[in-house]
PDB file of all heavy atoms in Angstrom:
ATOM      1  N   GLU G 331     -49.940  25.273   7.216  1.00  0.00           N
ATOM      2  CA  GLU G 331     -50.320  23.993   7.853  1.00  0.00           C
ATOM      3  C   GLU G 331     -51.724  23.521   7.488  1.00  0.00           C
ATOM      4  O   GLU G 331     -52.034  22.334   7.620  1.00  0.00           O
ATOM      5  CB  GLU G 331     -50.153  24.089   9.359  1.00  0.00           C
ATOM      6  CG  GLU G 331     -50.991  25.151  10.033  1.00  0.00           C
ATOM      7  CD  GLU G 331     -50.684  25.261  11.508  1.00  0.00           C
ATOM      8  OE1 GLU G 331     -49.703  24.666  11.992  1.00  0.00           O
ATOM      9  OE2 GLU G 331     -51.469  25.953  12.201  1.00  0.00           O
ATOM     10  N   ASP G 332     -52.601  24.425   7.044  1.00  0.00           N
ATOM     11  CA  ASP G 332     -53.918  24.009   6.614  1.00  0.00           C
ATOM     12  C   ASP G 332     -53.914  23.417   5.223  1.00  0.00           C
ATOM     13  O   ASP G 332     -54.888  22.798   4.799  1.00  0.00           O
ATOM     14  CB  ASP G 332     -54.909  25.178   6.668  1.00  0.00           C
ATOM     15  CG  ASP G 332     -55.184  25.664   8.074  1.00  0.00           C
ATOM     16  OD1 ASP G 332     -55.026  24.826   9.009  1.00  0.00           O
ATOM     17  OD2 ASP G 332     -55.489  26.856   8.252  1.00  0.00           O
ATOM     18  N   GLU G 333     -52.800  23.623   4.490  1.00  0.00           N
ATOM     19  CA  GLU G 333     -52.730  23.247   3.087  1.00  0.00           C
ATOM     20  C   GLU G 333     -51.784  22.066   2.833  1.00  0.00           C
ATOM     21  O   GLU G 333     -51.906  21.397   1.790  1.00  0.00           O
ATOM     22  CB  GLU G 333     -52.307  24.426   2.204  1.00  0.00           C
ATOM     23  CG  GLU G 333     -53.247  25.629   2.250  1.00  0.00           C
ATOM     24  CD  GLU G 333     -54.572  25.331   1.549  1.00  0.00           C
ATOM     25  OE1 GLU G 333     -54.623  24.358   0.804  1.00  0.00           O
ATOM     26  OE2 GLU G 333     -55.525  26.125   1.745  1.00  0.00           O
ATOM     27  N   ILE G 334     -50.833  21.857   3.703  1.00  0.00           N
ATOM     28  CA  ILE G 334     -49.828  20.820   3.450  1.00  0.00           C
ATOM     29  C   ILE G 334     -49.698  19.902   4.664  1.00  0.00           C
ATOM     30  O   ILE G 334     -50.077  20.249   5.787  1.00  0.00           O
ATOM     31  CB  ILE G 334     -48.449  21.416   3.120  1.00  0.00           C
ATOM     32  CG1 ILE G 334     -47.855  22.168   4.316  1.00  0.00           C
ATOM     33  CG2 ILE G 334     -48.502  22.310   1.905  1.00  0.00           C
ATOM     34  CD1 ILE G 334     -46.433  22.616   4.087  1.00  0.00           C
ATOM     35  N   VAL G 335     -49.182  18.705   4.403  1.00  0.00           N
ATOM     36  CA  VAL G 335     -48.892  17.748   5.488  1.00  0.00           C
ATOM     37  C   VAL G 335     -47.364  17.466   5.400  1.00  0.00           C
ATOM     38  O   VAL G 335     -46.890  17.045   4.331  1.00  0.00           O
ATOM     39  CB  VAL G 335     -49.667  16.435   5.301  1.00  0.00           C
ATOM     40  CG1 VAL G 335     -49.288  15.460   6.408  1.00  0.00           C
ATOM     41  CG2 VAL G 335     -51.165  16.704   5.321  1.00  0.00           C
ATOM     42  N   VAL G 336     -46.672  17.700   6.482  1.00  0.00           N
ATOM     43  CA  VAL G 336     -45.225  17.441   6.521  1.00  0.00           C
ATOM     44  C   VAL G 336     -44.985  16.060   7.115  1.00  0.00           C
ATOM     45  O   VAL G 336     -45.559  15.691   8.141  1.00  0.00           O
ATOM     46  CB  VAL G 336     -44.525  18.510   7.370  1.00  0.00           C
ATOM     47  CG1 VAL G 336     -43.010  18.220   7.468  1.00  0.00           C
ATOM     48  CG2 VAL G 336     -44.725  19.912   6.760  1.00  0.00           C
ATOM     49  N   LEU G 337     -44.145  15.281   6.453  1.00  0.00           N
ATOM     50  CA  LEU G 337     -43.793  13.966   6.912  1.00  0.00           C
ATOM     51  C   LEU G 337     -42.550  14.046   7.805  1.00  0.00           C
ATOM     52  O   LEU G 337     -41.609  14.761   7.478  1.00  0.00           O
ATOM     53  CB  LEU G 337     -43.502  13.032   5.749  1.00  0.00           C
ATOM     54  CG  LEU G 337     -44.664  12.471   4.946  1.00  0.00           C
ATOM     55  CD1 LEU G 337     -45.462  13.557   4.246  1.00  0.00           C
ATOM     56  CD2 LEU G 337     -44.191  11.451   3.931  1.00  0.00           C
ATOM     57  N   GLY G 338     -42.598  13.353   8.922  1.00  0.00           N
ATOM     58  CA  GLY G 338     -41.391  13.231   9.748  1.00  0.00           C
ATOM     59  C   GLY G 338     -41.413  14.096  10.967  1.00  0.00           C
ATOM     60  O   GLY G 338     -42.372  14.830  11.244  1.00  0.00           O
ATOM     61  N   PRO G 339     -40.350  14.040  11.768  1.00  0.00           N
ATOM     62  CA  PRO G 339     -40.275  14.737  13.049  1.00  0.00           C
ATOM     63  C   PRO G 339     -40.400  16.271  12.880  1.00  0.00           C
ATOM     64  O   PRO G 339     -39.937  16.844  11.905  1.00  0.00           O
ATOM     65  CB  PRO G 339     -38.885  14.369  13.600  1.00  0.00           C
ATOM     66  CG  PRO G 339     -38.519  13.138  12.879  1.00  0.00           C
ATOM     67  CD  PRO G 339     -39.142  13.221  11.515  1.00  0.00           C
ATOM     68  N   LYS G 340     -41.015  16.883  13.868  1.00  0.00           N
ATOM     69  CA  LYS G 340     -41.145  18.332  13.851  1.00  0.00           C
ATOM     70  C   LYS G 340     -39.871  19.042  14.286  1.00  0.00           C
ATOM     71  O   LYS G 340     -39.649  20.218  13.974  1.00  0.00           O
ATOM     72  CB  LYS G 340     -42.306  18.778  14.763  1.00  0.00           C
ATOM     73  CG  LYS G 340     -43.678  18.265  14.343  1.00  0.00           C
ATOM     74  CD  LYS G 340     -44.756  18.710  15.303  1.00  0.00           C
ATOM     75  CE  LYS G 340     -46.149  18.294  14.801  1.00  0.00           C
ATOM     76  NZ  LYS G 340     -46.287  16.857  14.711  1.00  0.00           N
ATOM     77  N   ASP G 341     -39.028  18.343  15.047  1.00  0.00           N
ATOM     78  CA  ASP G 341     -37.790  18.894  15.531  1.00  0.00           C
ATOM     79  C   ASP G 341     -36.695  18.811  14.460  1.00  0.00           C
ATOM     80  O   ASP G 341     -36.307  17.687  14.063  1.00  0.00           O
ATOM     81  CB  ASP G 341     -37.332  18.135  16.800  1.00  0.00           C
ATOM     82  CG  ASP G 341     -36.066  18.700  17.411  1.00  0.00           C
ATOM     83  OD1 ASP G 341     -35.475  19.632  16.843  1.00  0.00           O
ATOM     84  OD2 ASP G 341     -35.696  18.194  18.495  1.00  0.00           O
ATOM     85  N   PRO G 342     -36.182  19.954  13.962  1.00  0.00           N
ATOM     86  CA  PRO G 342     -35.171  19.885  12.910  1.00  0.00           C
ATOM     87  C   PRO G 342     -33.881  19.242  13.337  1.00  0.00           C
ATOM     88  O   PRO G 342     -33.105  18.749  12.496  1.00  0.00           O
ATOM     89  CB  PRO G 342     -34.951  21.368  12.557  1.00  0.00           C
ATOM     90  CG  PRO G 342     -35.434  22.138  13.754  1.00  0.00           C
ATOM     91  CD  PRO G 342     -36.567  21.334  14.328  1.00  0.00           C
TER      92      PRO G 342
END
Side-chain angles (χ1 to χ4, degrees):
E331 59 185 11
D332 293 334
E333 300 289 346
I334 66 173
V335 178
V336 177
L337 284 63
K340 297 180 176 62
D341 183 355

